Amino acid sequence: MKKRIVIALGGNALGSNLPEQMIAVKNTSKAIADLIEEGHEVVISHGNGPQVGMINNAMDMFGRSDPKHPTFTPLSVCVAMSQAYIGYDLQNALKEELINRGIKKSVTTVITQVRVDEDDPKFKNPTKPIGPFMDEEGKKLAEAKGLTVVEDSGRGYRRVVASPLPKEIIEIDTVKNLLSSGEVVITCGGGGIPVIRQGNHLKGVGAVIDKDFASSLLAKEINADFLIILTAVEKVAINFKTPNEKWLDNITVEEARKYMDEGHFAPGSMLPKVQAAVDFAASGDNHTALITLLEKAKDGINGKTGTFIKNK
């Protein structure tokens, strides 16, 4: 039965550098093409952790070496760059895989802005590390530009930015129009380019939006049947890596919230994935969230594996 599916790709689906990415997207495309071949309507979102860091570092070094170039490239611009080149590799690899299978479908990357609330409390407590390590001199230069810098586990200083919640996908109508035309859409890369609204103007801000929360919002906006959040394990576990470890197959939103309250999921790894899955599943009785491995996505949709979260 045809489903509308949002797939949130994690870093392991994209590699950590350009050569790895070229290999990774080919394998990723095979798993996505399996779902398309079964007749499902697929929308793809993805992370950009290694990639946006690489771009930020490169722009920073270029600024230091060329006095004509600004020494500070806005993080929103770095996110836009990462969306474009990840999308370029991914859409080409997926298109090639579809052609090899005799499937005639276009694949399009949408450079996507996501509005955040400028009063989000997370702006007052930035915690997301970005960019290179710095010494004392680098710290002073960064702070002179108004950046927040913290000491990082004895390894030096690093810039940290906020991770506000996504409120609005600016290009959502474009995504819907492409879907209605039968296209495979890649959108909300890296959680989206973070912007705030100032009248009719959208201003980029120095922040990183969690890609799983952006994917949940995307899935709700297009009324998807499934949100698949891909991770490094086949299923979610409680009491992880303890003698009482238990892998979860089917749980309700209420059960998932109970497990979160009990502290079963680690912040910065599984917790935001479960939170995003719950957010989507709770938004409608026909909405199902699935957390599993990339290579198990097809089996998961067919009910054979993964952790399913539903409202009831």
Side-chain angles (χ1 to χ4, degrees), residues 207-271:
V208 174
I209 302 170
D210 186 284
K211 72 102 171 49
D212 294 318
F213 289 125
S215 301
S216 176
L217 177 59
L218 170 65
K220 289 188 288 186
E221 288 288 331
I222 65 171
N223 194 28
D225 300 293
F226 269 89
L227 168 63
I228 305 179
I229 297 178
L230 300 175
T231 187
V233 291
E234 188 169 341
K235 298 180 182 181
V236 177
I238 55 174
N239 301 311
F240 188 52
K241 291 186 175 179
T242 72
N244 297 320
E245 181 179 84
K246 177 184 177 183
W247 297 98
L248 304 174
D249 296 313
N250 293 279
I251 59 174
T252 65
V253 165
E254 183 179 354
E255 287 171 328
R257 286 173 174 158
K258 175 176 174 288
Y259 293 142
M260 285 190 286
D261 290 341
E262 291 172 351
H264 284 284
F265 311 123
S269 58
M270 188 57 74
L271 180 60

Side-chain angles (χ1 to χ4, degrees), residues 29 32-34 36-37 93-107 184:
S29 294
I32 296 171
D34 285 343
I36 296 170
E37 194 168 37
L94 182 54
K95 179 68 175 178
E96 180 181 348
E97 182 64 27
L98 293 175
I99 291 172
N100 290 342
R101 299 186 187 204
I103 300 171
K104 189 177 180 181
K105 265 188 176 295
S106 294
V107 185
V184 180

